[in-house]
Amino acid sequence: MSQDTSSESHSLHLLNPPLPFDMKLRMQQTTENDGSVQRIQNTARTKFAQREKSYTEAFGDRQTDVKTLAGQIKQHTLDHLDQYLEQFIQSATKSGMKVHLARDAAQARKICLNIAQSHGCKCCIKSKSMVTEEIQLLSALESGGIETYETDLGEFIVQLDGDAPSHIVTPVIHKDRESIARTFRQKLGAETTSDPEDLTEVARQYLRNVYRKADLGISGANFLVADTGTIVLCTNEGNGRFVTEVPPVHIVVAGIEKVIPRINDLSLLLKLLARSSTGQPLTVYTSLINGPTQHGDPVSTHEINVILLDNGRSNLLPAPTRSLLRCIRCGACLNACPVFRHAGGGHAYGSVYSGPIGSAITPLMRGVSNYSDLPKASSLCGSCHQVCPVNINLPQQLINLRQEAVTQQIPSRLESLIYRLFALCLRYPFLYRATSYFNKLFTRLGGISTGAHDQFSNRKWVKHAPWLFRHWTTCRDLPTPTSKNFQHWWILRNRGSSS
Amino acid sequence: MRISGYHHCESIPHGQHGFHKQHRSSIDLRIALFITCLADNYFPRSGIAVVKILEYLGHEVIFPRIQTCCGQPMYNNGYRKEACQLARRMIKLFRDCEIVTTPSGSCASLVHDAYPQLFTEGTQDHEAAVGLAKNTYEFVSLLKDVLDVDLTQLGARWEGIATYHYSCHLRHIISQADVERLLNNIEGLEYRQIESADQCCGFGGTFSLHYPDLSGSMVREKVRNIAETGAETLICHDNGCTMNIAGACRRQNVAIRIISPSELFAESLGLLERGAEL
């Protein structure tokens, strides 16, 4: 589908911003007052509640056990990744698929284009896949002269609008029905109301015609099963089946971390994936692809190509960060994250992968100094860890990244100096007491008293704090220390009891 | 038996965490207080309440006066070396204490979760860090899990409508439902739950200074939800959260008294006078 170049560059810019990435600047640009923040809040919260409910129904008080087990399955796979990848390649090749290895995005795009061109493909249909967003495949195909259509409803809307997905599972979480209807009217010339059923019908009619002429299908994969060579694809709209079955050539693009050891492991992982994403017991369609379709023909005309992509993933393989590759991209941590919800969704993160998992993997995949803003954008509240179906300790990973930033001397000299001086003061009791005293003295100078008489609760409030603390008082008052601190009380009391 | 720190769940066999209830049935304990830098300077009343309650229950409270800070600001912001120095100091200071209690969930969870990983496994430092982690209890969890306090039996009484802010760092320490049960054991207290109670208040230490807009938006939502309960008193379970929420309440003219759980318990047992201010 042709896009005007300006909107295409807009979407590329959203996911591939100028580096180093400035998150605050990005939030100013993306959280315009169109109600999108509130919409994202509402949708994310609803999904969060649906997840809670379905987890409780399915696993009761054994939720921690289930998540630990799933985490162990994925961790085990990653601990022996080379072995399982080889096994997958063997099994998949045996059942008639062609497996390609891509070191980076450029190589993956080239492999895709080569396959498409060798078959003379002209029209490509895509199912939803974050990894293809990551390697910017769509624009590469279009500039290679292959008309490409997103067939997932959300991604279809994003493509029409020249926008970028704002959530890894619900790409149009930032849009409302009215704006979608407007897009359909403008770009497809459809006469439609903003009723969801009408909108879906417009997309369906449009895409049916596309399916008929498509000669290339591109999908991602949710899991790659090593022992059977199976490609597992979970979708809710049925478009995945058109993409994988109708065109004669199918390309699967998948990260190397998608592999799991046994087909038996699916029973647990599938249950967790759907419940974590949307609260469904299973996705509406779960496709297990075991090789090209034979159609009763001894010589199949159907071809499946699997591209296994690294693109920075092996940076995460060292032990301290390996657990991040367990991620099954369910999006539960995004929905649970108050920062994601208040920041206006995924566009605030300047990367395909957003939310807590994005904050942890993007710096590792694309450079800690390029994305040092992301690990700081967390209150370390831990709700991401709590909901993660594969038990990734995301807050710990974010703290580790902050440590890495300090090691690489990314924070300003002033900041480092302040922390080091502060730490020094805390190492010596007399310095600690002096610091406490001066803090009390200076902050109380500028404070407004609340008039409590008890010296242990008498404090003042500062409306406009100076210097580094000015940000605190943009939205709240700053309390000062009380007239007397706890140490005073302890001394006074002991003096009293001994006399 | 409670599990004193999340990271120990797998590594320390059941029954080896800190104190066994049967071990101290009627013995009076020596309990060391780690007041934390914030409570010392900003919320001394919460520490005073801790001391009064423990002494009321017949235990001895010791307070090593040279204590300072656990190092959480350094650790959370990536200054590992500095955090290590402060951790070492804390470990040395409380080495001989069988029970250490603190009125702060985030400081307790730092001792539980971070201290052991700051040192290489197998070293003396690591062993000592694990020891301190085992012996450190957030104050409310100490009351519930070790001292087995029954507020009803003690005749706790506190008239008023209160709501409760569950701090994020308590996730691995005590559940919201457990604290709510304790609150409901106080006669006269009408408890009202905050909408989205488990949502972060937006403090996050230096997060509030790095991302003031995000943090502000989060705390405004929290204040809105607090105000909607119509409670007169907010029981706020961490000093960082208290600074944040109290400051935002003042800015938005939401009149509410904010106290820590220890202050509420002390007031309900008649150990502290009910003050008017935060």
Side-chain angles (χ1 to χ4, degrees):
Chain A
M1 188 181 344
S2 60
Q3 280 176 354
D4 52 79
T5 34
S6 67
S7 66
E8 189 179 324
S9 70
H10 172 67
S11 83
L12 285 179
H13 174 81
L14 274 175
L15 303 182
N16 298 279
L19 300 174
F21 174 62
D22 184 337
M23 186 173 180
K24 269 187 252 184
L25 182 69
R26 171 55 67 87
M27 282 190 297
Q28 283 168 12
Q29 293 163 348
T30 51
T31 53
E32 282 152 32
N33 210 0
D34 58 353
S36 66
V37 175
Q38 196 51 47
R39 262 196 308 282
I40 290 164
Q41 280 266 18
N42 296 344
T43 316
R45 272 183 182 289
T46 312
K47 300 246 182 242
F48 178 72
Q50 285 167 343
R51 190 209 78 96
E52 286 282 291
K53 186 164 168 274
S54 93
Y55 259 64
T56 314
E57 278 169 9
F59 309 120
D61 53 6
R62 302 202 57 196
Q63 295 184 30
T64 316
D65 297 345
V66 173
K67 288 190 276 190
T68 308
L69 179 60
Q72 283 166 344
I73 292 174
K74 287 289 287 190
Q75 186 69 32
H76 165 85
T77 321
L78 296 164
D79 291 344
H80 306 89
L81 188 60
D82 48 349
Q83 192 184 319
Y84 285 116
L85 277 174
E86 255 173 58
Q87 195 189 355
F88 171 77
I89 294 169
Q90 273 176 13
S91 325
T93 314
K94 215 160 107 191
S95 50
M97 304 189 215
K98 293 181 183 168
V99 183
H100 312 257
L101 301 173
R103 187 172 296 112
D104 53 26
Q107 210 178 353
R109 288 193 297 259
K110 204 169 144 213
I111 297 171
C112 275
L113 276 174
N114 284 347
I115 296 169
Q117 279 155 2
S118 71
H119 287 85
C121 300
K122 290 271 168 276
C123 175
C124 167
I125 48 175
K126 258 186 92 265
S127 71
K128 181 173 153 33
S129 141
M130 294 315 285
V131 74
T132 53
E133 296 279 355
E134 177 189 330
I135 62 171
Q136 299 161 35
L137 184 58
L138 199 142
S139 56
L141 289 169
E142 296 257 307
S143 35
I146 301 158
E147 256 186 286
T148 307
Y149 297 85
E150 293 282 0
T151 60
D152 171 84
L153 181 55
E155 292 284 350
F156 178 65
I157 296 161
V158 165
Q159 187 191 15
L160 281 179
D161 257 353
D163 203 346
S166 60
H167 187 292
I168 61 177
V169 177
T170 21
V172 284
I173 191 171
H174 59 298
K175 290 189 188 293
D176 65 350
R177 284 186 278 159
E178 299 301 331
S179 75
I180 295 168
R182 204 159 45 238
T183 303
F184 280 7
R185 280 183 222 118
Q186 282 170 4
K187 300 280 166 86
L188 303 178
E191 284 178 29
T192 175
T193 67
S194 60
D195 183 65
E197 270 187 40
D198 285 353
L199 292 173
T200 313
E201 196 48 40
V202 171
R204 175 177 308 191
Q205 290 309 327
Y206 183 85
L207 288 171
R208 286 286 144 142
N209 293 326
V210 174
Y211 292 141
R212 286 196 192 101
K213 59 175 182 175
D215 45 18
L216 173 66
I218 295 183
S219 75
N222 291 93
F223 302 101
L224 305 171
V225 186
D227 67 347
T228 55
T230 307
I231 291 151
V232 184
L233 197 63
C234 304
T235 60
N236 270 331
E237 295 165 16
N239 60 317
R241 295 204 164 176
F242 280 108
V243 169
T244 58
E245 300 298 322
V246 175
V249 185
H250 173 201
I251 302 177
V252 182
V253 188
I256 48 172
E257 84 285 9
K258 291 286 174 193
V259 69
I260 58 167
R262 304 168 305 165
I263 194 93
N264 287 351
D265 299 324
L266 269 185
S267 61
L268 175 66
L269 293 168
L270 285 177
K271 270 182 196 160
L272 287 176
L273 177 61
R275 284 193 168 82
S276 302
S277 296
T278 53
Q280 292 165 286
L282 272 182
T283 41
V284 179
Y285 297 89
T286 304
S287 308
L288 297 142
I289 302 165
N290 285 303
T293 321
Q294 300 290 325
H295 291 305
D297 256 339
V299 184
S300 170
T301 50
H302 187 208
E303 179 181 314
I304 301 179
N305 291 274
V306 184
I307 302 175
L308 295 173
L309 176 75
D310 183 336
N311 204 27
R313 284 165 176 75
S314 45
N315 299 349
L316 280 71
L317 269 177
T321 50
R322 190 177 293 168
S323 64
L324 287 169
L325 290 174
R326 290 182 203 163
C327 177
I328 55 172
R329 307 278 188 263
C330 66
C333 63
L334 280 65
N335 299 334
C337 180
V339 171
F340 178 86
R341 297 196 299 242
H342 286 267
H347 290 171
Y349 291 76
S351 154
V352 181
Y353 305 107
S354 54
I357 186 68
S359 294
I361 62 174
T362 308
L364 290 164
M365 288 166 71
R366 291 161 93 166
V368 175
S369 58
N370 289 334
Y371 281 93
S372 66
D373 267 12
L374 293 185
K376 287 195 286 189
S378 165
S379 64
L380 302 176
C381 80
S383 47
C384 47
H385 184 196
Q386 187 162 314
V387 298
C388 179
V390 285
N391 200 23
I392 304 172
N393 190 342
L394 284 159
Q396 185 63 55
Q397 291 292 340
L398 295 176
I399 291 175
N400 294 352
L401 281 166
R402 294 174 183 187
Q403 278 174 17
E404 183 54 34
V406 171
T407 313
Q408 294 188 18
Q409 301 185 333
I410 293 166
S412 69
R413 280 201 195 153
L414 178 67
E415 190 196 299
S416 308
L417 184 71
I418 290 171
Y419 277 108
R420 295 197 166 115
L421 269 180
F422 188 29
L424 185 76
C425 291
L426 295 171
R427 278 168 65 194
Y428 301 100
F430 73 97
L431 281 179
Y432 166 73
R433 278 174 212 152
T435 315
S436 301
Y437 179 74
F438 284 114
N439 174 38
K440 182 176 82 179
L441 203 68
F442 287 121
T443 50
R444 287 182 73 99
L445 270 180
I448 302 158
S449 179
T450 49
H453 294 301
D454 176 1
Q455 55 192 359
F456 299 107
S457 51
N458 172 303
R459 78 179 72 252
K460 291 183 173 183
W461 291 91
V462 179
K463 285 257 176 237
H464 302 286
W467 198 42
L468 294 172
F469 301 97
R470 68 184 187 280
H471 292 311
W472 177 276
T473 46
T474 52
C475 42
R476 44 181 122 52
D477 292 3
L478 177 71
T480 71
T482 49
S483 319
K484 295 268 186 252
N485 63 12
F486 179 84
Q487 298 241 9
H488 271 105
W489 179 80
W490 184 262
I491 297 167
L492 285 175
R493 191 181 81 122
N494 286 4
R495 206 179 280 159
S497 63
S498 61
S499 62
Chain B
M1 193 63 233
R2 96 189 191 83
I3 292 167
S4 64
Y6 177 69
H7 281 275
H8 309 153
C9 299
E10 293 169 349
S11 57
I12 297 170
H14 182 75
Q16 290 184 20
H17 294 283
F19 262 71
H20 250 300
K21 279 178 188 171
Q22 61 265 36
H23 283 171
R24 39 98 222 133
S25 47
S26 60
I27 315 168
D28 298 337
L29 300 168
R30 284 186 87 212
I31 298 171
L33 171 65
F34 168 47
I35 183 72
T36 77
C37 51
L38 274 192
D40 183 15
N41 292 297
Y42 288 83
F43 306 99
R45 204 168 173 268
S46 67
I48 296 169
V50 168
V51 175
K52 293 202 166 176
I53 294 168
L54 293 177
E55 290 183 343
Y56 171 77
L57 296 170
H59 306 293
E60 184 191 348
V61 180
I62 52 172
F63 178 71
R65 276 208 58 215
I66 56 166
Q67 59 179 276
T68 58
C69 163
C70 61
Q72 190 180 178
M74 288 80 211
Y75 181 77
N76 283 355
N77 286 290
Y79 293 85
R80 188 184 170 96
K81 197 179 110 205
E82 286 72 17
C84 251
Q85 291 166 342
L86 291 167
R88 229 178 239 122
R89 201 176 170 277
M90 279 278 289
I91 292 165
K92 203 169 146 199
L93 192 60
F94 290 104
R95 182 161 28 197
D96 300 323
C97 305
E98 285 170 319
I99 296 186
V100 181
T101 191
T102 173
S104 159
S106 63
C107 303
S109 81
L110 187 86
V111 174
H112 290 156
D113 298 346
Y115 274 21
Q117 2 155 346
L118 280 172
F119 306 102
T120 323
E121 250 175 84
T123 59
Q124 271 188 346
D125 279 335
H126 181 262
E127 202 179 311
V130 172
L132 180 61
K134 262 196 287 187
N135 293 343
T136 301
Y137 294 89
E138 188 278 326
F139 179 66
V140 180
S141 77
L142 177 82
L143 288 188
K144 181 187 153 281
D145 296 325
V146 181
L147 306 180
D148 226 354
V149 168
D150 184 342
L151 288 167
T152 316
Q153 224 171 40
L154 293 171
R157 195 175 169 79
W158 191 93
E159 296 289 340
I161 306 166
T163 181
Y164 170 67
H165 171 62
Y166 180 73
S167 288
C168 305
H169 281 100
L170 295 168
R171 282 178 208 276
H172 302 309
I173 293 177
I174 191 167
S175 74
Q176 188 182 335
D178 280 337
V179 182
E180 287 172 344
R181 254 191 298 280
L182 282 172
L183 297 182
N184 285 323
N185 283 344
I186 298 174
E187 214 192 303
L189 187 151
E190 184 189 332
Y191 173 64
R192 292 186 190 166
Q193 200 181 65
I194 303 177
E195 171 77 24
S196 315
D198 58 352
Q199 152 125 359
C200 174
C201 72
F203 174 63
T206 42
F207 167 73
S208 56
L209 300 177
H210 283 306
Y211 291 96
D213 294 342
L214 277 176
S215 169
S217 162
M218 283 157 74
V219 73
R220 275 194 295 276
E221 185 183 344
K222 183 56 79 183
V223 170
R224 205 164 45 240
N225 288 336
I226 290 168
E228 267 168 25
T229 62
E232 310 140 347
T233 303
L234 170 70
I235 317 298
C236 191
H237 207 150
D238 206 288
N239 296 319
C241 308
T242 310
M243 285 181 95
N244 183 36
I245 296 174
C249 283
R250 273 188 66 80
R251 182 59 62 89
Q252 289 174 58
N253 298 319
V254 172
I256 190 160
R257 184 178 176 236
I258 306 184
I259 54 174
S260 68
S262 62
E263 288 169 84
L264 171 78
F265 297 153
E267 287 176 7
S268 73
L269 296 168
L271 305 171
L272 269 185
E273 246 181 79
R274 209 162 145 170
E277 282 303 320
L278 161 72

